[in-house]
Structure formats: C-alpha cells, structure tokens
Amino acid sequence: MIKNEVLQLNIESYGAFGEGVAHVDGYAVFIPYALVGERVEALILSVKKGYAYAKVLNVIERSKDRRSAPCEYFTRCGGCDLQHLNYSAQLKLKKDSVQKTLHNVGGIDFEVDEVYPSIKEFDTRNKLTLPFSMDKSGVVLGFYSERSHRVVGIPECALSAWSKKLIKCVTDWANKYSLSVYDERNKKGILRALTARVAGDKTMVTLVVVRESVPHLDKLSEDLSKLYENGIFYLNINEEDTNVVLGNRCVKIFGEDKLVSRALGVRYELSPLSFAQVNDYVRDALYSKVVSEIKEDDIVIDAYSGAGLMSVLCAKVAKKVYGVEIIPDAVYDADDTARKNGVQDKVVNQVGDCARVLPELCKKLRLEYARERFTIILDPPRKGCDERVLEAVLECKPDKIIYVSCNPATLARDLKTLTTKYSINYVKPFDMFPQTKHVETIVCLTRNK
Ligand SMILES: C[S@@+](CC[C@H](N)C(=O)[O-])C[C@H]1O[C@@H](n2cnc3c(N)ncnc32)[C@H](O)[C@@H]1O
C-alpha cells in the first residue's frame, strides 16, 4: 500500500473515533465518514506500520443507515463525527464501541445495556467553548478541525442553536474594533476563546483573554446586556502558554455571580470554572440512575464531585455524602447548593486532588462509620482515575462502586483493577453527546463475597 493510491475498500467495523475500518494486504485502514457495510473508493493519505489513513472519494455501495448530514459545516468543523449516520445506528455504534473497548482494553466480556438516548438529536448542548481565530473574513469563532490545530470558523452550531446570536455578537464586536487574536506561536494578541452556558432562561458568557485590559470591552458588555435579559458576563484571564482553555482567574463584568437553575427538584449554582454535564435531559437520566443505587443510611463518597448537584441528590436519600473536587470554585458552588437545598448537614465537600484526599478520607470514614454501608461514586475526567484513587477505593471496601465515565478506554483500564475485587452488575451507556463519537457510561459494581 502506498500514499496517494486509490483503492476500493469494504468497511468492516468502526474505530475508536467512529471512523470506518477496512482491512487490506495486512493493513487496517481507517477512513472517517465511511460506514460499516459500505464499499467505498478511498484515497490513501498516509501509511504507517500495519495501518493507514484514507479518505472517502466515493461511496460505491451505500449503507441503509447513511443520511445526509443536517449541518452544512459537518466534516469541515470537527465538532461532530456522526451526523452522516442515522440516530438509531449512532446508538448501536456507541453500545458496540463500549463493549469492544471493555474487551480490548480491560479484558472484560460483559453484555452492555442499550444506550439511553437523548430526547433531542440536535440543540442538545447547554455549554459551548469556541477558540478564536483569524481567517480571510477577520476574527472568527469555531472548532478545531479533526486531528488538527486549525480552527474552522462557524457562524452557528447545530448542537447549540442558542449560540448563533452570541457568536455573531462577539465576532461583530471583535471585527468592528479590530481586536487581536492570541497567537500561540508568537504569544501576541488578546482574544483566546469564548465559552457560554445556558440554564433555563439564563446565559453565562465567559470571554477568555490574555490580560484583563481588553480594548472596547464596554461596547461588548453593552451588546451582551442587550442580547440577554438575564445575562452574566465574565472575563477569564489566561496568561499561560497552554492549550487548557480557562485560566484560574475570573472577573465579573455584569450580572449575578452565578448561573442558578433547577434540575430534578434541586436548585443548583454554577460558577464559570465549574464543570456541569452538557445535556440537561441525559444528565437527569444519568443522575436518576446513580441515585437509584443509593440506599437510605448509605455513607456516600462522591469523588470528582464538580459543582455538587449529584451529591445533593444523593444526600436526599443517603445518611451522609462526602464530595471531593479539585476546583475550589466548584466546591463553593457545591456548598451553596447543599445549603440552599437544606442538606448542608448531610453534605461535606472538600477541595483537593482525589489521589491525595481519598486515601486519608476513606481510612477516616471507615473508622468513623465502622458498621455502615458505603457507596463510592467515581466520576473522573477523561483521563480516568489515578492509581492511588483505585487503591484507596479497594482498601475502603465499599459495598458498591458506581463508576460514571466519559471515556470508555480509561473506564476499561480502571475496571480491570476494580474487578479484581468487585463484580459488574451492569454497564449502561448514556448518549450525552449525540452526533459525536463520545459516550457517557455508568458501571455499577458490587463487592465479591
Ligand atoms: C466529569 S466531571 C464530573 C463532575 C460531577 N460529578 C458532575 O456530574 O457534574 C469531573 C470533575 O472532576 C474534577 N477533577 C479533575 N481532576 C480531579 C482530581 N484529580 N481530583 C479531584 N477532582 C478532579 C473536575 O474539575 C470535574 O469537576
């Protein structure tokens, strides 16, 4: 196989990014936007040892699951991976992907449940983060195109229709006043990214900039306050030479301090730096499933607890909930949320790295509650749990572990450790991120006798 060769290939399976995979001459060929069952004409883009990348030139035999992508920026902007696949086939792909990853990475063969679907296929995201860039039209906001560091400007996003007027407002302002975009090569320019979150009728907008003094910020502030009746506007200062979007410091420009909303009967609060699940409908189903696993009188450790909404929901059932979270602002939010819902006596939140906090906390609680039932919730970021967290959890011997994961690969890796002492009750994926390759999964485990 050589670069620039054109081949006809039969797509046999999907890869980890939702791309089609064909096998030919001992090579696995990865072909984005090709579907299982299709025969495609493909151009070989690069050849490595034992595998190659190709792009579809022509679909010769079309899958019945193929559809034309509803969004005109699909394949160019890199925000979505699966718009060309009908929704029920997307759910099947995600179920199979979790099943396969558990087997390949964790050596675990367990029948995965059907994926809990999103009620809406589009306009599902309550949060959007877009980097700034320059193109021939001027300042744009967009997504990084697939596997690149090139931003493709978009005037709207089908996953968050609410963002169209915001993107226009901010790029109009940046272009009108010739604001500069931060260039990581020469470290010059001001604007880095825009992030926004909606909850109910409220919107919180955060402009990520290199320094606090932004020319003509008053004009943007004026425009945003006209756009949103219940708006909140923050600057986030990120001076670091990093690809992490948000810096540690936020400065409020106008509005309430926090985004306040309700979910599942709980009033919750979010600051700009706090994590929150991005799809309201699927979040509610996910949390309800977690809470259904909590028993009255349980001692719950909610590790990686974010802004504490799940902790408060658990506290309505459990005897006591201990949250551990690394972002201080999220812990303030979690404390406020516990207080405003009247469960402050049942929720103890702690700021810190789970890898450092959990070993001590587990020991202490085991002494304090020698006879109680323990449930540990693990909801880590994409990189999964630190080994020290897994060790502490096994040492603590909770009756139940509920692992909530947004990355099947690290989930499978961590389950390999946890299943040395625990058995899987079920693996339930949730479609938190329709149109993308991403999937959220709950795994419930109980201790072996
Ligand atoms: C996937 S989110 C889950 C948050 C929360 N459980 C929820 O449902 O909204 C992961 C959280 O872990 C936090 N985090 C990341 N690394 C951490 C660490 N080493 N120790 C504690 N928390 C961490 C992040 O700030 C984020 O809030």
Side-chain angles (χ1 to χ4, degrees):
M1 182 173 303
I2 52 168
K3 189 176 167 180
N4 291 333
E5 195 177 356
V6 175
L7 295 172
Q8 289 199 0
L9 300 169
N10 294 325
I11 310 303
E12 297 155 21
S13 58
Y14 291 114
F17 302 101
E19 73 278 48
V21 182
H23 289 91
V24 61
D25 299 339
Y27 286 89
V29 188
F30 297 94
I31 315 150
Y33 315 117
L35 299 180
V36 166
E38 290 187 331
R39 183 166 176 77
V40 299
E41 188 175 53
L43 173 69
I44 303 296
L45 298 175
S46 67
V47 182
K48 315 272 180 213
K49 204 167 174 226
Y51 64 96
Y53 294 104
K55 80 168 184 185
V56 175
L57 295 178
N58 182 24
V59 179
I60 301 164
E61 282 166 33
R62 189 183 157 97
S63 163
K64 66 174 181 11
D65 294 326
R66 181 176 282 279
R67 66 176 181 189
S68 61
C71 169
E72 65 175 289
Y73 307 102
F74 180 60
T75 76
R76 274 187 288 145
C77 102
C80 294
D81 317 282
L82 300 176
Q83 283 196 22
H84 60 309
L85 187 60
N86 74 41
Y87 190 56
S88 57
Q90 287 187 26
L91 296 177
K92 181 170 182 327
L93 180 155
K94 292 186 187 192
K95 174 183 165 167
D96 293 348
S97 148
V98 174
Q99 184 94 51
K100 201 160 84 179
T101 309
L102 289 183
H103 174 84
N104 291 347
V105 179
I108 293 162
D109 289 304
F110 191 90
E111 186 55 36
V112 171
D113 288 351
E114 294 302 318
V115 179
Y116 185 93
S118 176
I119 196 167
K120 288 196 291 183
E121 266 196 62
F122 288 91
D123 201 14
T124 52
R125 288 189 62 103
N126 57 33
K127 185 188 176 196
L128 192 67
T129 299
L130 301 170
F132 281 101
S133 188
M134 292 292 289
D135 70 11
K136 54 183 185 312
S137 69
V139 176
V140 292
L141 285 160
F143 283 105
Y144 291 108
S145 72
E146 194 63 38
R147 292 192 203 100
S148 88
H149 210 59
R150 188 173 56 87
V151 173
V152 176
I154 49 157
E156 60 188 312
C157 173
L159 298 186
S160 49
W162 53 268
S163 62
K164 184 175 179 177
K165 59 181 185 179
L166 175 63
I167 294 172
K168 180 166 172 18
C169 173
V170 176
T171 51
D172 281 356
W173 163 78
N175 284 311
K176 182 171 177 189
Y177 296 105
S178 303
L179 271 285
S180 57
V181 171
Y182 177 71
D183 183 337
E184 56 195 25
R185 286 163 303 184
N186 60 21
K187 322 280 177 251
K188 294 216 168 94
I190 296 175
L191 305 175
R192 291 185 84 131
L194 178 76
T195 159
R197 182 181 271 156
V198 287
D201 62 346
K202 303 186 187 83
T203 304
M204 180 159 69
V205 176
T206 306
L207 184 72
V208 188
V209 289
V210 167
R211 58 167 191 268
E212 199 172 327
S213 70
V214 179
H216 308 287
L217 189 68
D218 53 332
K219 298 292 177 201
L220 177 60
S221 185
E222 230 174 271
D223 294 346
L224 286 174
S225 58
K226 279 184 208 145
L227 206 57
Y228 298 113
E229 208 175 304
N230 289 311
I232 300 172
F233 181 31
Y234 272 93
L235 275 190
N236 174 273
I237 322 299
N238 186 355
E239 298 162 323
E240 303 298 317
D241 181 15
T242 165
N243 58 10
V244 175
V245 177
L246 291 169
N248 294 329
R249 198 159 67 87
C250 291
V251 179
K252 192 177 79 175
I253 307 298
F254 69 71
E256 304 279 320
D257 290 350
K258 300 185 189 195
L259 198 58
V260 179
S261 192
R262 294 190 74 82
L264 298 167
V266 167
R267 176 192 189 278
Y268 66 91
E269 309 201 349
L270 294 172
S271 303
L273 298 180
S274 297
F275 173 91
Q277 303 288 350
V278 296
N279 180 327
D280 292 353
Y281 171 76
V282 179
R283 170 203 61 205
D284 290 356
L286 183 96
Y287 286 172
S288 300
K289 187 75 181 164
V290 170
V291 174
S292 75
E293 294 296 339
I294 307 298
K295 300 247 179 314
E296 211 182 312
D297 293 336
D298 264 7
I299 302 300
V300 176
I301 299 176
D302 184 6
Y304 308 94
S305 48
L309 174 53
M310 192 150 69
S311 305
V312 167
L313 289 165
C314 291
K316 289 187 158 196
V317 184
K319 180 171 184 164
K320 201 101 182 186
V321 180
Y322 292 84
V324 184
E325 161 63 42
I326 205 163
I327 303 285
D329 285 10
V331 176
Y332 299 140
D333 291 348
D335 282 342
D336 284 344
T337 291
R339 212 169 17 250
K340 300 271 167 57
N341 289 279
V343 289
Q344 66 275 22
D345 296 340
K346 290 176 105 190
V347 180
V348 181
N349 293 304
Q350 190 169 341
V351 187
D353 180 347
C354 282
R356 288 171 182 276
V357 173
L358 238 58
E360 281 304 307
L361 181 68
C362 287
K363 263 191 215 131
K364 182 176 141 284
L365 294 180
R366 261 301 174 203
L367 286 175
E368 196 173 335
Y369 302 104
R371 293 172 177 280
E372 314 292 340
R373 241 186 74 93
F374 272 64
T375 293
I376 297 188
I377 301 169
L378 300 168
D379 186 2
R382 287 187 61 74
K383 67 179 179 196
C385 295
D386 189 284
E387 271 177 32
R388 287 167 290 175
V389 170
L390 299 176
E391 270 169 36
V393 169
L394 290 179
E395 190 93 333
C396 181
K397 301 191 177 66
D399 301 81
K400 199 179 268 181
I401 301 170
I402 306 165
Y403 196 131
V404 182
S405 160
C406 57
N407 184 349
T410 54
L411 170 68
R413 180 201 67 201
D414 293 349
L415 285 179
K416 200 172 172 180
T417 304
L418 295 175
T419 51
T420 54
K421 304 265 169 57
Y422 283 74
S423 297
I424 297 176
N425 289 0
Y426 59 79
V427 179
K428 177 82 186 163
F430 289 77
D431 195 20
M432 187 74 77
F433 319 98
Q435 317 307 328
T436 78
K437 59 190 174 255
H438 298 291
V439 60
E440 191 85 12
T441 308
I442 293 182
V443 180
C444 182
L445 302 114
T446 41
R447 192 148 60 92
N448 295 338
K449 293 279 177 268

